């Protein structure tokens, strides 16, 4: 796992949310450690892991945070979303109920996270295509209408897991670059803004987790 | 000890399964605040560090408290901690949490590698095996000067703060019972002491019982205390015997019936 002295240009905090059992923890472990656990236990509290990847010419350290989907462990909320610049809202394509509540997850996300957060809708478990309950077109349309990125993945057979994280990190990166151009502020300024509460209409680049070296 | 263990399970279950979502969230957040303010006294350095990085206690203590450290510590330490918890109550859980925080973030040396929130969280997820080692941890937990009274006082303070910021609690929990003794005192009468129950009960009437054995047993019961715990009585638990010696008011008829049935089951198996 990443140590503090690693060499990187940006740190992006990305959170995983969605109903219990949709495969958030396995998406995390597949992306960061290339592991999949068939009988993984339910998450209590938070788990997290990092992976450093190259986005265009920048070295980006992705801090992925994963939390319990179960309602009764939802005390985490604001502490969990603090500083996040990206979110994967995950549902299980074989369980329509997990897709029905995406709305609720989005609401919680926008209630607690910065408005500028990049959000991707992720339909997981494509390896169980024969049991599919959520048509891809339906989810894709929902994502388009709500301004979300969309992808279908399988943490089990690795399909699209890399792509999902790479896409969202790239999107965040572009957003940061744009912000940087717009506000002609230097990197040092973005670094200085350590206090999340002071960045009211937050720009991704000014987030404390988004450190430009 | 069996009894202490049995009743000790209630707080564990009550904590993790007790009420539904809202109250559970409240309970864990409240405990998080209590733990954090206790940390102020136990390790000001760790407290300051966590405050500075704005790390909400629920980010690291949810799993500790909800699973009573079973997902955190090595199994031998879990057993020791649970043993103490079942006997002495919830202060043990707080103390273990405080010891782990103190020894992970309690000196400027240790904080060198915890520059950001994420690094600190990572450190708390991957605790040093040394501090989780059974003997060390238990010693530290025993020596940590955090009492039930302090926890109760902190509980009231945090409860008051909670009401100011969040309003009334959704679920009013009964007062915390600190340990097996408090629990057994709080509910004295209706609960019978734990006692072994014969798994096979044979109706005493028609079954033929070897006479010699029956009379031998009776005569033993009448004698002084010692034989009841002798090798003869132990094998199958001889449930009636010990209890009856302690409670002579139980009717003699009942006595013989019970010891008879336990003898019976022994016979059946032998």
């Amino acid at each position: 796992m990443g140590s503090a002295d690693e060499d990187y240009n940006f740190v992006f905090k990305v959170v995983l949310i969605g109903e219990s059992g949709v495969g958030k923890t396995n998406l995390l472990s597949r992306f960061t450690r290339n592991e999949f656990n068939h009988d993984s236990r339910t998450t209590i509290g938070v788990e997290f892991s990092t992976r450093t990847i190259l986005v265009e010419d920048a070295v980006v350290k992705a801090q992925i945070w994963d939390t319990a989907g179960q309602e009764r462990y939802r005390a985490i909320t604001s502490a969990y979303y603090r500083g996040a610049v990206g979110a994967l809202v995950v549902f299980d394509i074989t369980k329509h109920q997990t897709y029905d509540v995406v709305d609720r997850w989005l609401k919680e996300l926008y209630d607690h996270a910065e408005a500028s957060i990049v959000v991707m809708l992720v339909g997981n478990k494509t390896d169980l295509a024969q049991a599919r309950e959520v048509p891809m077109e339906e989810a894709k349309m929902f994502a388009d209408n709500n301004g979300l990125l969309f992808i279908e993945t399988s943490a089990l057979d690795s399909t699209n897991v890399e792509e999902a994280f790479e896409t969202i990190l790239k999107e965040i990166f572009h957003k940061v670059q744009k912000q940087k151009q717009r506000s002609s502020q230097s990197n040092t300024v973005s670094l200085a803004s350590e206090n999340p509460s002071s960045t009211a209409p937050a720009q991704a680049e000014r987030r404390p987790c988004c450190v430009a070296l | 000890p069996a009894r202490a263990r049995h009743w000790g399970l209630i707080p564990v279950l009550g904590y993790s399964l007790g009420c539904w979502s809202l109250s559970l969230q409240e309970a864990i957040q409240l405990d998080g605040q209590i733990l954090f303010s206790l940390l102020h006294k136990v390790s000001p350095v760790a407290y300051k560090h966590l405050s500075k990085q704005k790390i909400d206690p629920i980010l690291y203590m949810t799993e500790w408290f909800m699973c009573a450290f079973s997902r955190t510590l090595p199994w031998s330490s879990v057993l020791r901690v649970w043993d103490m918890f079942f006997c002495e109550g919830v202060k043990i859980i707080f103390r273990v949490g405080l010891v782990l925080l103190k020894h992970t973030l309690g000196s400027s040396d240790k904080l060198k590698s915890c520059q950001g929130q994420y690094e600190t969280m990572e450190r708390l997820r991957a605790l040093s095996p040394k501090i989780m080692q059974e003997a060390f941890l238990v010693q530290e937990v025993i020596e940590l000067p955090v009492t039930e009274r302090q926890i109760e006082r902190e509980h009231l303070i945090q409860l008051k703060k909670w009401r100011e910021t969040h309003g009334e609690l959704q679920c009013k929990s009964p007062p915390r019972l600190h340990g097996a003794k408090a629990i057994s005192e709080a509910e004295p009468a209706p609960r019978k002491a734990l006692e072994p129950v014969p798994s096979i009960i044979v109706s005493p009437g028609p079954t033929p019982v070897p006479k010699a054995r029956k009379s031998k047993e009776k005569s033993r019961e009448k004698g002084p205390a010692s034989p009841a715990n002798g090798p003869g009585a132990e094998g199958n638990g001889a449930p009636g015997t010990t209890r009856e010696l302690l409670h002579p008011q139980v009717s003699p008829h009942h006595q013989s019936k019970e010891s008879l049935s336990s003898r019976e089951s022994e016979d059946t198996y032998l």
Side-chain angles (χ1 to χ4, degrees):
Chain A
M1 249 175 253
S3 65
D5 44 39
E6 238 179 287
D7 225 12
Y8 49 80
N9 305 109
F10 293 94
V11 182
F12 294 154
K13 174 176 171 178
V14 175
V15 293
L16 284 159
I17 54 175
E19 283 297 282
S20 178
V22 298
K24 298 182 291 297
T25 305
N26 272 319
L27 279 171
L28 171 75
S29 65
R30 176 62 80 193
F31 177 65
T32 57
R33 299 188 298 274
N34 198 19
E35 285 172 11
F36 182 91
N37 188 351
H38 276 276
D39 28 41
S40 61
R41 57 193 192 177
T42 178
T43 307
I44 296 180
V46 292
E47 289 180 19
F48 40 81
S49 205
T50 58
R51 189 175 144 191
T52 305
I53 65 163
L54 200 64
V55 177
E56 287 166 22
D57 55 348
V59 182
V60 169
K61 183 171 172 180
Q63 283 180 357
I64 322 284
W65 292 59
D66 166 36
T67 189
Q70 278 182 37
E71 182 72 26
R72 62 210 195 93
Y73 300 132
R74 302 298 310 144
I76 307 282
T77 50
S78 44
Y80 178 66
Y81 293 115
R82 189 175 301 142
V85 289
L88 300 184
V89 185
V90 187
F91 68 93
D92 175 350
I93 62 156
T94 71
K95 290 202 179 74
H96 210 283
Q97 180 269 334
T98 64
Y99 172 73
D100 295 335
V101 292
V102 161
D103 254 336
R104 251 182 32 214
W105 285 103
L106 286 173
K107 186 180 178 307
E108 187 187 277
L109 177 67
Y110 290 127
D111 279 350
H112 294 95
E114 306 293 350
S116 60
I117 192 167
V118 178
V119 185
M120 176 182 254
L121 183 64
V122 179
N124 191 33
K125 307 199 187 179
T126 54
D127 52 283
L128 299 173
Q130 74 285 358
R132 179 190 281 274
E133 284 184 9
V134 183
M136 185 166 145
E137 301 71 34
E138 188 186 337
K140 174 86 176 81
M141 194 145 52
F142 177 87
D144 288 344
N145 292 340
N146 288 276
L148 317 173
L149 302 166
F150 175 71
I151 198 165
E152 284 195 343
T153 58
S154 165
L156 188 142
D157 64 23
S158 299
T159 308
N160 277 349
V161 176
E162 289 280 312
E163 289 78 356
F165 284 97
E166 275 169 16
T167 309
I168 194 167
L169 292 170
K170 203 180 272 181
E171 185 71 17
I172 297 165
F173 178 73
H174 286 153
K175 213 164 183 170
V176 171
Q177 295 298 95
K178 244 186 253 168
Q179 296 291 353
K180 210 184 271 175
Q181 285 163 11
R182 214 177 298 161
S183 59
S184 52
Q185 287 167 318
S186 71
N187 283 344
T188 19
V189 175
S190 63
L191 252 180
S193 170
E194 276 285 25
N195 183 4
S197 57
S198 69
T199 58
Q203 316 300 337
E205 57 160 349
R206 301 206 305 161
R207 306 297 312 146
C209 72
C210 173
V211 187
L213 292 179
Chain B
R3 185 176 183 190
R5 239 168 262 175
H6 180 81
W7 297 124
L9 272 170
I10 291 170
V12 181
L13 299 177
Y15 198 37
S16 49
L17 310 169
C19 309
W20 283 108
S21 52
L22 274 171
S23 51
L24 184 82
Q25 294 185 22
E26 286 176 338
I28 198 75
Q29 286 185 76
L30 211 52
D31 276 356
Q33 294 307 325
I34 295 167
L35 178 78
F36 193 51
S37 56
L38 290 169
L39 181 66
H40 192 26
K41 293 165 193 108
V42 171
S43 173
V45 177
Y47 176 85
K48 209 177 133 201
H49 178 77
L50 289 168
S51 313
K52 203 176 85 190
Q53 295 195 339
K54 296 196 172 68
I55 299 180
D56 196 306
I58 51 168
L59 285 178
Y60 52 83
M61 55 69 74
T62 303
E63 200 180 52
W64 290 358
F65 274 51
M66 301 238 295
C67 305
F69 296 99
S70 60
R71 285 189 177 189
T72 308
L73 302 173
W75 193 240
S76 58
S77 304
V78 171
L79 295 178
R80 294 289 299 274
V81 165
W82 282 22
D83 223 24
M84 292 194 287
F85 168 47
F86 290 159
C87 194
E88 295 181 49
V90 76
K91 71 166 177 237
I92 298 299
I93 300 293
F94 280 94
R95 284 195 198 172
V96 174
L98 291 166
V99 166
L100 296 180
L101 287 168
K102 179 181 153 192
H103 287 282
T104 307
L105 307 171
S107 72
S108 51
D109 195 43
K110 294 188 175 92
L111 295 178
K112 271 184 194 145
S113 58
C114 301
Q115 308 245 305
Q117 195 192 69
Y118 186 86
E119 285 74 22
T120 305
M121 285 293 295
E122 213 167 35
R123 182 54 56 88
L124 287 173
R125 286 288 298 190
L127 296 164
S128 146
K130 198 192 116 239
I131 66 167
M132 295 193 289
Q133 194 261 328
E134 194 187 336
F136 176 84
L137 182 70
V138 168
Q139 193 58 34
E140 287 288 311
V141 167
I142 289 169
E143 285 170 5
L144 198 75
V146 170
T147 62
E148 280 148 25
R149 277 189 59 175
Q150 276 172 294
I151 293 174
E152 277 307 318
R153 201 174 56 211
E154 209 48 64
H155 188 117
L156 292 176
I157 294 170
Q158 296 304 328
L159 205 57
K160 196 164 160 248
K161 275 194 193 163
W162 180 277
R163 289 207 178 97
E164 281 162 11
T165 50
H166 296 73
E168 211 40 54
L169 285 171
Q170 305 271 345
C171 164
K172 302 228 172 21
S173 59
R176 253 197 255 264
L177 295 171
H178 292 278
K181 191 160 169 278
I183 291 167
S184 63
E185 277 165 5
E187 37 189 58
R191 299 209 189 256
K192 275 166 65 185
L194 287 183
E195 54 191 66
V197 179
S199 54
I200 297 177
I201 297 175
V202 183
S203 59
T207 338
V209 173
K211 275 212 157 143
R213 191 185 274 237
K214 198 172 162 186
S215 59
K216 206 169 103 194
E217 182 155 305
K218 273 198 168 169
S219 66
R220 200 169 64 192
E221 275 167 22
K222 278 173 197 148
S226 58
N229 293 327
E234 253 165 37
N236 198 27
T241 344
T242 338
R243 198 184 55 127
E244 282 142 19
L245 284 167
L246 296 171
H247 303 281
Q249 73 272 22
V250 182
S251 80
H253 173 69
H254 178 82
Q255 253 179 54
S256 60
K257 198 168 127 194
E258 266 221 8
S259 38
L260 187 75
S261 64
S262 79
R263 271 290 161 199
E264 273 300 321
S265 63
E266 189 180 271
D267 283 348
T268 322
Y269 279 110
L270 286 175

